[in-house]
Amino acid sequence: MVVCPGVNDGEVLDDTLLGVLDRFPELSSLAVVPLGVSSHNREPSLRPHTKDEAAIVVQTVENWQVRFLDALGRRLVYAADEYYLLAGNPFPEADSYEDFPMYEDGIGMARAFEAEFTGKLLSGIGPRAGFFQWVDGAPAEGYRAPRMSGGSNRAGEIVRVGSPEDVEAVPVGISVRDDAPVGILTGGYGAQVLSPLVSSLGREGVRVIEVENLFFGGNVKVSGLMVGEDLRRALSSEPEGHRYLLPDVCLNNGKFLDGLCLDDLPREVEVVPTDGVALRAALKRGVRYADVEQEAST
């Protein structure tokens, strides 16, 4: 459910969750996500959450998790990662997400990514059945459409064999050195999650590049909605000869949501699957990636 501050939060949210327990106890899971408001919004009653409002939503959800656990033996309701970032609260421990049933709704993505990146999980959780990933709107062809339409991303290739977790990276000849400094391109929320993880590596040559979303504006900060125009602006001020890693979640058949493609960017980028295992491998081995999942599946 999407929570709009001043509309269906507070007592209304409490009543809604009480109704779920009373009338829909068989419900598998429920995601509580904040309203996304772009700069194109013309409805004055719709606005982003404040930090205090986000903290109240988190507390409300966590209170109801205790009640659902007592009554049903499972938490059932989860607050989106975005709420914890907005409130400045630490994320719940990984086992609190009960096998991440709502991963693609932005529930537990940060903890899952951390576990993948640090090696606690040896494979990425990857796509599961669901309506959308952690984006405000899925691409027209669906978020399961191939991220790359085949060919090269000017940086290398990744070959997927069998299950999504079985990934073999294949290096190819490129113009940027493997040991060059690395910039990880990500949205505002991704930067909050990635920065402490990257800092823990103790590698001076690796940095997080936060890409401000001016295309959508407002409080849109998810990596899945990064567009070519914003990436082009961010990369134009970055030095040449560095490696730039780009999560594949912002691509649909090799194109960004604004219609631009990788060739429109001023720097070579390496498209990396959007999970901690792939990012760790890219940083560790210096292997260039391009997603040719479509070719591997044919």
Side-chain angles (χ1 to χ4, degrees):
M1 63 176 293
V2 177
V3 175
C4 305
V7 179
N8 62 340
D9 55 354
E11 293 183 0
V12 177
L13 179 58
D14 258 322
D15 289 343
T16 300
L17 296 177
L18 175 60
V20 170
L21 179 59
D22 182 47
R23 300 177 58 192
F24 306 103
E26 72 281 1
L27 195 65
S28 174
S29 54
L30 175 65
V32 175
V33 301
L35 176 69
V37 184
S38 77
S39 60
H40 306 286
N41 173 58
R42 295 295 179 265
E43 175 52 61
S45 64
L46 299 180
R47 59 173 179 81
H49 289 73
T50 65
K51 180 178 180 179
D52 289 343
E53 288 170 338
I56 292 172
V57 171
V58 168
Q59 189 60 60
T60 299
V61 169
E62 291 183 346
N63 289 343
W64 274 99
Q65 285 183 329
V66 174
R67 294 167 185 156
F68 283 123
L69 268 174
D70 289 341
L72 306 176
R74 53 196 172 87
R75 290 174 175 82
L76 195 147
V77 64
Y78 303 88
D81 290 6
E82 191 174 341
Y83 268 122
Y84 288 91
L85 293 172
L86 289 170
N89 290 5
F91 295 108
E93 294 302 318
D95 58 4
S96 298
Y97 291 103
E98 300 178 354
D99 199 33
F100 302 97
M102 306 204 76
Y103 173 86
E104 293 180 22
D105 296 325
I107 307 296
M109 273 191 169
R111 277 298 186 209
F113 192 95
E114 177 188 40
E116 294 162 355
F117 188 79
T118 58
K120 294 178 182 178
L121 285 177
L122 300 181
S123 60
I125 290 180
R128 297 182 177 185
F131 293 107
F132 54 92
Q133 283 189 306
W134 195 17
V135 295
D136 296 345
E141 295 183 66
Y143 70 85
R144 292 187 187 279
R147 296 300 172 188
M148 298 292 294
S149 57
S152 173
N153 71 338
R154 302 184 295 161
E157 66 179 358
I158 190 168
V159 178
R160 294 182 184 268
V161 181
S163 67
E165 293 81 10
D166 184 13
V167 179
E168 177 186 357
V170 181
V172 298
I174 58 165
S175 59
V176 180
R177 300 193 331 267
D178 284 347
D179 60 352
V182 179
I184 304 171
L185 298 158
T186 186
Y189 293 135
Q192 289 181 253
V193 174
L194 282 172
S195 292
L197 294 177
V198 170
S199 295
S200 70
L201 297 175
R203 290 178 54 181
E204 294 182 359
V206 180
R207 66 193 186 281
V208 174
I209 302 173
E210 180 178 338
V211 179
E212 183 181 4
N213 197 318
L214 298 183
F215 185 84
F216 289 104
N219 67 342
V220 177
K221 299 181 181 181
V222 294
S223 298
L225 290 180
M226 289 192 298
V227 300
E229 177 182 312
D230 291 325
L231 285 162
R232 185 161 58 184
R233 185 189 65 257
L235 285 168
S236 64
S237 60
E238 294 292 330
E240 296 182 0
H242 289 203
R243 295 176 58 203
Y244 296 103
L245 308 184
L246 179 72
D248 66 351
V249 70
C250 62
L251 289 165
N252 186 39
N253 278 321
K255 289 188 176 182
F256 300 101
L257 288 174
D258 61 355
L260 298 184
C261 60
L262 296 171
D263 286 334
D264 295 313
L265 302 181
R267 303 285 182 268
E268 290 186 356
V269 299
E270 306 172 30
V271 179
V272 182
T274 310
D275 63 68
V277 173
L279 179 58
R280 185 179 76 244
L283 294 176
K284 182 178 180 180
R285 296 195 301 262
V287 176
R288 303 303 195 251
Y289 292 98
D291 192 342
V292 291
E293 180 176 350
Q294 184 180 33
E295 293 182 3
S297 64
T298 58

